[in-house]
Amino acid sequence: MVPMNRTERLMHLLQLLRCKRLPVSGQVLANELQVSLRTLYRDIATLQRQGADIQGEPGIGYVLKPGYMLPTLMFTQVELEALILGLRWVQRRTDPALAQASQTVQGKLRTVLGQQALQQLEQAALFAGPGHDDSDGATAELLREAIRDERKVLIDYADSKGAVTQRTLQPVALGYFDGFRILAAWCELRSDYRHFRLTNISSLSFSSQRFVGQGGWLLARWRSDNLKRGVVVQP
């Protein structure tokens, strides 16, 4: 593992503290950063002088109070590579609205990154290949809207044998895979979770009914059901 320089270490320390709601001991932080306790205490003091509201003391633990904002975004080289590759993948492999949003985010990054990070971003030699045809792009956009608004959708769906059924769905998740896209939804016809290839949806419309307040619960239950079957679903 390549040691972090001091700037990277300070950023990582801030991130560790941001993830903790309760005080965390200096020894735990030092172990995570792979530095001595003395170095950890100096890093804490440096961040406090820079305006970070870190409260605590040796032997008790430290906590970062909300509200501290960095003057500029700072990322490690690997973090920048992950960002640009992810954004380029979205730009090339998803629907038009997400592709446009990816370009917008890249533009915003260029305005807030420091000069060195900006140069690293521009020189990142990581690219995403082209995706499949976008015949179901409009369907994906509508489904993302339905998921956000917790709105039921009505679809005509063709199975593997070509038989078409009408379904009322409570959409909970949308998966973008190489060559195809999948909707996970609670199907009222089957009274269970079902997965639908977007290319097999011949028509889609919003229902007048919604399932407000149930979307998060349905998503958590869908993940739990998948986990029981040995399928790990990453958010």
Side-chain angles (χ1 to χ4, degrees):
M1 182 176 179
V2 179
M4 291 181 283
N5 60 41
R6 189 163 188 267
T7 298
E8 291 174 341
R9 192 175 70 243
L10 290 173
M11 295 305 101
H12 189 39
L13 175 55
L14 274 175
Q15 186 60 33
L16 289 174
L17 290 169
R18 281 196 182 101
C19 295
K20 305 292 185 181
R21 289 182 296 177
L22 299 176
V24 57
S25 73
Q27 188 61 63
V28 169
L29 293 170
N31 291 344
E32 178 68 26
L33 296 169
Q34 298 183 358
V35 297
S36 67
L37 267 175
R38 177 177 294 182
T39 298
L40 184 279
Y41 294 150
R42 286 202 299 265
D43 287 349
I44 292 286
T46 297
L47 291 173
Q48 288 172 330
R49 287 195 299 271
Q50 293 177 354
D53 189 4
I54 300 174
Q55 299 184 5
E57 58 185 71
I60 297 178
Y62 297 92
V63 63
L64 175 66
K65 294 298 183 181
Y68 178 67
M69 298 294 292
L70 292 174
T72 59
L73 286 178
M74 301 187 69
F75 299 97
T76 66
Q77 178 64 45
V78 176
E79 289 170 343
L80 280 171
E81 290 175 350
L83 269 174
I84 194 61
L85 180 59
L87 288 169
R88 287 171 177 172
W89 191 95
V90 170
Q91 185 176 345
R92 297 293 300 276
R93 309 299 291 271
T94 61
D95 58 74
L98 283 179
Q100 180 59 51
S102 170
Q103 290 182 291
T104 302
V105 172
Q106 291 180 59
K108 289 181 177 180
L109 274 175
R110 290 182 174 91
T111 65
V112 296
L113 289 174
Q115 185 60 40
Q116 181 180 359
L118 179 60
Q119 184 176 5
Q120 292 172 334
L121 182 75
E122 299 292 357
Q123 294 178 350
L126 300 172
F127 301 93
H132 70 303
D133 73 274
D134 199 46
S135 58
D136 57 2
T139 300
E141 290 186 35
L142 289 173
L143 288 171
R144 287 193 290 104
E145 181 180 347
I147 291 170
R148 286 195 302 267
D149 295 343
E150 296 186 328
R151 185 180 298 277
K152 294 183 182 182
V153 295
L154 310 173
I155 68 169
D156 289 340
Y157 189 76
D159 63 20
S160 57
K161 298 180 180 179
V164 177
T165 54
Q166 286 75 45
R167 311 287 187 102
T168 299
L169 307 177
Q170 299 176 36
V172 296
L174 194 60
Y176 289 77
F177 299 88
D178 282 340
F180 62 95
R181 296 159 184 165
I182 292 286
L183 170 70
W186 178 263
C187 177
E188 296 189 358
L189 179 65
R190 306 302 185 198
S191 297
D192 200 358
Y193 290 102
R194 289 291 187 269
H195 298 90
F196 305 88
R197 278 184 179 253
L198 268 58
T199 50
N200 290 4
I201 298 176
S202 57
S203 71
L204 182 149
S205 61
F206 291 133
S207 168
S208 59
Q209 297 179 317
R210 303 179 68 184
F211 52 103
V212 177
Q214 301 179 52
W217 177 82
L218 285 169
L219 180 60
R221 183 178 165 191
W222 172 70
R223 285 177 178 164
S224 176
D225 288 353
N226 277 281
L227 189 60
K228 290 176 183 176
R229 294 195 296 268
V231 179
V232 179
V233 179
Q234 296 290 346

